[in-house]
Amino acid sequence: MTIRFPVFQRLDIDEYQLYPGVPDSPGLHLDFTPGPWIVLGVNGLGKSTLLLILKHVLTGPARIRGAGFTGDRSDVLPVDPRFFAVRVGDNAHAAVATTEVRFGSAVLKVRRRLSDLGLVEATVRGIDPVEQVGDEESYRALIAKIMGLSRFEDALRVLDRVTFYLEAREPLLWNLAAQFELFRAILTPDKSEELRRLEGDIVSADSSARNLNAVLYKLVNRRDTQQAKQDSAAETRARLAKATAEVESSEAEEIKLQHALEAAEERRSDARVELKRADRAADEAAQKYEEIKFEVLRHAFAGVSPNEQYVFLKIISERVCLACGNGAEAAAEELERRRSENRCLVCGSQRHSQDKVVSTTSAMQAKAAEAFTALQTAREALQDAGEKYRASEQHYRSVEDNLEIVRRRVDASKRDARRWRSKLPAQDQAALARDEDRIETLRREVLNFRKERDDAEEKIAILLSELKAATESIRENLEDKFQTHAQDFFAEKVRLVYAPRKDRIGQGGRVFEFPAFEIELTSGATGGNFVRRSASQVSLSQREYLDLIFRMSLVETFGSASGSFVVDGPEGSVDAVFAEKAGNLFSALAKRTSGLTVILACNIVDGAFIPHTLRAYKTPDARSGRVVNLIDLAAPTAALVALQNEYRFAVDKILAQDAR
Amino acid sequence: MFAALERVGGTPIDTRSLHAFAFFANVLSPLWDLHPLEGSVLKESGSPYFPALQRQLDCLVGEGFIIVESLARGTTDELEAKFRLSHERAQPVLSIVRMLPDEASAEGFLTELADAFVEIRPDRRDDAAVADAAYSDPAVAQGRIVDFAEWVSPTKGNAAWNTAQQFQKYVPVGVTLSRAEKLVMYMRLMKRRAHG
């Protein structure tokens, strides 16, 4: 499965007042060769605008809608075509931007007006025959085709979720729906449209069924009310109203508890993994300690059968008797004493001098002490994990019990309501009959919509299982790539884990399994590996860089390491220590994947980020060649006019600085 | 398990192989309508391992039912122990156990399983467990739980059981496979995978 990610080669911006350029070369003309590029400038100088021009020249006045299951709503949403025009005094009336982008062996050249993002021309070389398009619709089809995807929506999705990491980005790693939509586009391109159509059908049918149900509910209530009005028995009416109110409140409570049960299920599941791991870790620690003990006791064991050796070893190492399960401190001490006095471990008799114990080395003692400490820590962790699991299990059971009680209450109150309703006499039989007819029609309609939803669900289940299998086939590769990047950046132990998640497409209906990856990260507080299922469970820089690394791994996995990364403000969320690691991450990525272009927009900041990003370029001149210095190329801001010399000095200082 | 292994010449048995055998006993026990002793296991880089089983084994050694035949330092940080049944000590207990109907059924199942298990080369027995349909499920990542009978149904949610049932599809019309035949076919499949 290969996707052709875009590799930006050139960008020309002419007649745009934000980028007047220099007298010898007006405008902005950039050649992007593979490797890291830094777009450098101060606030307001147009760094982010430059990245947005790069994006919208390629995609046109379009953006992808937020991730999530939806009905008939279009996936492609318009953006304000005058976005770039309003930033300059002349409304960008003559401004044009042209970019050259390589996709595999094809090179796309596209030119757009910046006044309204209108397409001037687009040509693709490197495919046979050379294609030229002049209208947006054909252009969109062309983009999808040269990326190896089936639809423009998917191309836009891949660009938005992988290539461009701009200010208004949506997280990918922490968003189940975004991951699903991306994998759908990349892994099953020929089924992507069908999957999206079925998803829309399910949501629409589900929504129609629920809407009709709401009408039906109101109609049933009205009929019941009319019936009640006809009822001369005030008491019956009151009881019915009470029972109906009880149904409503119980049903609301049932929904609340159902959600609580789902949350408790997740917690219980995480605690179970933690417990199993702690159990295994304690067992491993015990085995390591026993192995050291065995070495220590090698001489004392001379002449003792393996069976007794095993039993003694357990007593000495674990202070527990294998036979009765009780604590065996005294026995362990006695055995230790016999060993140290060179007596037989079995009967206690003095041994011959040639059987003298070889004294234990201090290194061995230190190793034993370390292993014993590790064993104690592992046992404490096991106890904690056990308590946590039991608490989560107890909580789950208690929510489940409560849910069962409430469900019984719902049933009972519904029975109650039916009983009271049946006691209400119908005075106007004709009106009631009309209502009954309408109720019956609506019920049929609801059933029809539900059947439509069920049919679409049947079909989508097959496609989803294909998508799941396709994701499973690439998961190890993706996890490995992620590991390679992450281990250099993070001080913590971090790993990407394939963990399909369950969700509904509509509000009702079936639960499906969607392919998804999640993060495990060691916790500073406990040292154990914990699942970080939501972005709020990690710090800001962890969140951003985990997401970036995930996207890098996707390009390496699906794009044969050919593509571009366009990142706005990569230095913003990292502290002084991690600035160096972040710089190294980008420079290593560019080095390892020779076909990858990395374009980063940064503020003029002190510190290690820029030197380490450009660490492959050894001289200030070479580093300067990788920098798009907007201080020289962009229209100056008031701050820049006032402090021009200071800023130039700061840029020179950064470029003079070599990576440590 | 030891009685069954003893009967087919599968002892003395090393720790890893014993855990592999226990794993197969757990995942395939629904073929005999038996409930597995453990319904899940942590998936690790090595083969299946049950800490609770290891604790029970240690107890049985302490009580003299199991004998440690040999004990040596291994190549890793673990001791390599080999175990066998102590006939003299275990026989009276086994005689009583065999009189209980459910235990008699379990013994039949374990003997069939042990018979098939010992056909796998001793150094490949843990590889066979790793190749098992439930354990090798690509949907379960390393460090997560392989659940075949704990929170899922021991039949529907157990990939090993499902695979064993699938063999029926591939036999001629009119032939019905017995549970023992399904078990043996499944174990031979695992043997082929483990032997490469």
Side-chain angles (χ1 to χ4, degrees), chain A residues 222-274:
Chain A
R222 193 180 75 188
R223 177 200 61 187
D224 291 348
T225 311
Q226 282 169 352
Q227 275 186 340
K229 277 180 187 167
Q230 293 168 30
D231 188 5
S232 58
E235 192 188 341
T236 308
R237 282 202 303 274
R239 286 183 173 174
L240 176 60
K242 195 178 162 207
T244 309
E246 177 65 27
V247 169
E248 281 170 12
S249 76
S250 303
E251 279 182 338
E253 200 180 343
E254 184 186 356
I255 289 167
K256 218 164 93 185
L257 278 170
Q258 182 59 46
H259 290 159
L261 188 69
E262 282 163 12
E265 166 69 25
E266 273 198 353
R267 277 207 298 278
R268 182 174 76 131
S269 179
D270 290 347
R272 180 169 74 143
V273 175
E274 211 179 306

Side-chain angles (χ1 to χ4, degrees), chain A residues 265 268-269 272-273 276-277 279-280 283-284 287-288 290-291 294-295 298 301 306-307 309-311 313-314 318 322-324 367 382 389 393 397 468 472 475 479 495 497-500 513 518-520 531 533, chain B residues 15 38-44 47 49-52 54-55 57-64 66-74 76-79 81 83 137-145 147 150-151:
Chain A
E265 166 69 25
R268 182 174 76 131
S269 179
R272 180 169 74 143
V273 175
K276 290 251 183 202
R277 288 180 186 177
D279 195 10
R280 184 72 180 101
D283 196 86
E284 272 172 8
Q287 285 181 25
K288 277 183 192 162
E290 278 162 18
E291 205 264 353
F294 185 71
E295 175 62 14
R298 205 149 45 96
F301 274 161
N307 205 55
Q309 285 182 23
Y310 191 84
V311 175
L313 196 57
K314 292 279 173 184
E318 302 193 15
L322 288 193
C324 64
K367 205 173 153 192
L382 174 59
Y389 175 71
E393 177 73 14
R397 295 288 169 215
K468 198 168 156 265
E472 280 161 12
R475 79 164 175 94
E479 285 167 1
R495 75 182 187 124
V497 179
Y498 175 63
E513 204 167 63
E518 65 189 21
I519 285 296
E520 278 188 14
V531 179
R533 203 160 278 152
Chain B
T15 316
E38 293 207 43
S40 70
V41 68
L42 189 64
K43 183 169 179 173
E44 294 178 297
S47 52
Y49 183 89
F50 301 94
Q54 191 60 37
R55 287 192 287 273
L57 177 67
D58 289 347
C59 278
L60 289 171
V61 171
E63 287 160 359
I66 303 291
I67 289 173
V68 181
E69 182 84 17
S70 67
L71 190 63
R73 295 188 68 196
T76 59
D77 285 342
E78 295 167 18
L79 281 176
F83 304 90
D137 182 356
V140 181
Q142 297 283 340
R144 296 298 169 96
I145 291 171
D147 192 335
E150 193 172 63
W151 291 355

